[in-house]
Amino acid sequence: MERGAGRFLSDNSYKENLIGTLLAIFGNLVISISLNVQKYSHVRLSGTKDPRSYFRTKTWWLGLVLMLLGELGVFISYAFAPLSLVTPLSAVSIVASSILGILFLRDKWKPQEFLRRYVLSFLGCALTVIGIYLLVTFGPNTHEQLSSRNLELHLLGWPFLLYLLVVIVIFCLLLYFYKRQNVAYLLIILLLVALLGSVTVVAAKGVSGMIILSIQGNVQLVYPIFYVMLVCMIAAAIYQAAFLREVSELYDASQIASLSYILSTTIAVIAGATFYLEFKGADALHICMFIFGSCIAFLGVFLITQSKKKKMFEPYVVMDVIPGLRSMFDKKSPVQPELSGSFSYGTLENSGNPANNQQLPEAHQEPNSVHSVMESKLE
């Protein structure tokens, strides 16, 4: 009887993880498409004499709706799949953006020149897909109902309390060196972003899980822990966006994208393993293969971003598709307006790199999302 119950729980966990994984992949794909749609709207509007603002165009609103749909899919996926599966899947958006950029460029080069120019992108995409496959295959197969009682037990457990103490100490030290000693190294700022991001995703998983339980009939929104985690999620996302806005003013976006993905994913997986005990009961083979898949995905993302690092800006649509686009770039007129910050779970702020402003038009300023930062050099 107990063996049958255990098998039922295992099958149920597999189904829940599959739903969460598919939702995360779908959400990241839709987010990548939405960013390209919004950029198309900005480019088309800036290349004409249309006096309308960008938010008065149907294309931009379509991109915004797709963005919200994608973010909603990723948010819901936290309720079904472990953080260790959902967080690394943000690389899907990077791969999709890179492929869309190559397809929409429609260069007239010879095949040999085209392959030589994008060999790192192709190799990076292949490695990232392989890494994602290993992550999903050998990732943790655990699932629990995120009720208020379960979350309180996790919150007061000694593994998470120890982890929280270490995170607070490291965060305070990094903040001291950054604010008081003016040590603005890329690694220090992105570590601050990643530590805040771990709080964001841990809280987002709890909030998402309690909302899903409430929809299913087991109301959880009346418990104080729901609002505690909701406030933590929003506050961490806001400060996360502020730090990333600062680092985007100092460093190249390709450097930010690759290193931010590696640090954020690593720390989020550690947070999920300590707070939700996602690797409890996992054997050594699955853990080693999961780590191996993570390393391959990290290498793939690094190659994708580095392949775009030293290249001049190229719009993702052909110059003759939009009237006035060629003359607009010749005059170095801005393509997209500066957008103020907004927040959602896992939000990261993106802005252009001032060091490149003499060469690049301001065409890579996207709506503020963790995915837009990673994709600003990939399209």
Side-chain angles (χ1 to χ4, degrees), residues 118-378:
Y118 291 104
V119 61
L120 285 181
S121 294
F122 290 135
L123 180 60
C125 289
L127 290 176
T128 305
V129 171
I130 294 174
I132 291 174
Y133 172 78
L134 293 176
L135 288 171
V136 174
T137 303
F138 295 98
N141 187 28
T142 59
H143 178 74
E144 64 173 332
Q145 290 187 339
L146 298 178
S147 62
S148 60
R149 178 58 179 168
N150 289 339
L151 289 174
E152 289 173 357
L153 291 176
H154 286 305
L155 191 62
L156 298 178
W158 70 264
F160 180 72
L161 292 177
L162 179 60
Y163 172 79
L164 187 62
L165 177 62
V166 173
V167 168
I168 292 175
V169 171
I170 295 176
F171 184 84
C172 292
L173 288 175
L174 293 174
L175 192 62
Y176 170 77
F177 283 111
Y178 177 58
K179 292 295 186 180
R180 294 298 182 89
Q181 302 298 326
N182 295 322
V183 182
Y185 293 129
L186 177 63
L187 180 62
I188 289 181
I189 307 177
L190 290 185
L191 274 174
L192 290 170
V193 173
L195 291 173
L196 288 170
S198 67
V199 176
T200 305
V201 294
V202 166
K205 182 174 176 62
V207 172
S208 178
M210 283 187 282
I211 291 177
I212 295 299
L213 280 180
S214 299
I215 294 175
Q216 293 175 348
N218 187 5
V219 180
Q220 301 292 316
L221 307 186
V222 297
Y223 297 100
I225 190 172
F226 172 80
Y227 299 97
V228 170
M229 301 196 80
L230 180 63
V231 171
C232 290
M233 180 185 71
I234 296 175
I238 293 175
Y239 283 104
Q240 192 180 357
F243 278 116
L244 197 64
R245 182 188 299 111
E246 295 178 11
V247 73
S248 63
E249 296 175 354
L250 301 173
Y251 294 95
D252 184 75
S254 62
Q255 294 176 304
I256 298 174
S258 58
L259 188 56
S260 176
Y261 173 76
I262 294 172
L263 293 176
S264 298
T265 301
T266 302
I267 296 179
V269 169
I270 296 174
T274 54
F275 188 86
Y276 294 106
L277 304 177
E278 293 178 346
F279 289 91
K280 184 178 181 180
D283 55 59
L285 176 62
H286 280 73
I287 295 177
C288 291
M289 291 302 296
F290 181 85
I291 295 175
F292 179 65
S294 300
C295 294
I296 293 180
F298 293 161
L299 178 60
V301 171
F302 176 79
L303 292 178
I304 293 174
T305 55
Q306 291 303 306
S307 66
K308 303 295 181 181
K309 183 177 179 180
K310 297 181 180 180
K311 295 179 180 178
M312 295 291 291
F313 170 76
E314 296 173 314
Y316 71 100
V317 290
V318 182
M319 287 293 186
D320 57 6
V321 171
I322 301 176
L325 187 59
R326 170 61 69 180
S327 61
M328 180 186 66
F329 280 102
D330 293 339
K331 297 178 181 178
K332 300 184 182 298
S333 58
V335 175
Q336 297 190 32
E338 296 182 358
L339 302 177
S340 58
S342 62
F343 64 85
S344 64
Y345 64 96
T347 296
L348 299 181
E349 180 76 18
N350 177 41
S351 63
N353 182 18
N356 297 332
N357 283 346
Q358 295 180 352
Q359 297 179 346
L360 308 183
E362 299 176 5
H364 284 275
Q365 298 176 0
E366 298 289 355
N368 303 306
S369 171
V370 63
H371 310 279
S372 63
V373 175
M374 294 181 176
E375 297 171 1
S376 60
K377 286 288 181 178
L378 306 180

Side-chain angles (χ1 to χ4, degrees), residues 7-144:
R7 182 176 180 180
F8 173 76
L9 291 175
S10 178
D11 293 341
N12 186 61
S13 296
Y14 175 79
K15 292 178 181 179
E16 298 284 355
N17 288 352
L18 180 61
I19 293 174
T21 301
L22 293 177
L23 282 173
I25 293 175
F26 168 79
N28 283 289
L29 285 175
V30 173
I31 288 172
S32 178
I33 295 173
S34 71
L35 294 176
N36 283 275
V37 170
Q38 285 192 324
K39 176 162 290 188
Y40 174 83
S41 174
H42 286 298
V43 171
R44 182 178 182 181
L45 191 64
S46 300
T48 63
K49 297 181 180 181
D50 194 336
R52 293 181 299 169
S53 301
Y54 65 93
F55 54 83
R56 293 183 179 274
T57 60
K58 296 180 180 179
T59 310
W60 187 88
W61 280 103
L62 174 61
L64 180 62
V65 171
L66 291 175
M67 170 72 72
L68 295 177
L69 180 62
E71 294 281 6
L72 180 61
V74 176
F75 179 75
I76 297 175
S77 70
Y78 283 119
F80 295 96
L83 286 179
S84 305
L85 290 181
V86 176
T87 306
L89 288 177
S90 60
V92 172
S93 183
I94 300 177
V95 174
S97 179
S98 180
I99 294 175
L100 287 174
I102 294 174
L103 292 178
F104 280 102
L105 278 175
R106 291 189 291 178
D107 293 297
K108 299 179 180 179
W109 300 334
K110 296 179 181 179
Q112 296 84 353
E113 296 177 351
F114 184 83
L115 181 62
R116 183 168 56 251
R117 183 176 177 86
Y118 291 104
V119 61
L120 285 181
S121 294
F122 290 135
L123 180 60
C125 289
L127 290 176
T128 305
V129 171
I130 294 174
I132 291 174
Y133 172 78
L134 293 176
L135 288 171
V136 174
T137 303
F138 295 98
N141 187 28
T142 59
H143 178 74
E144 64 173 332

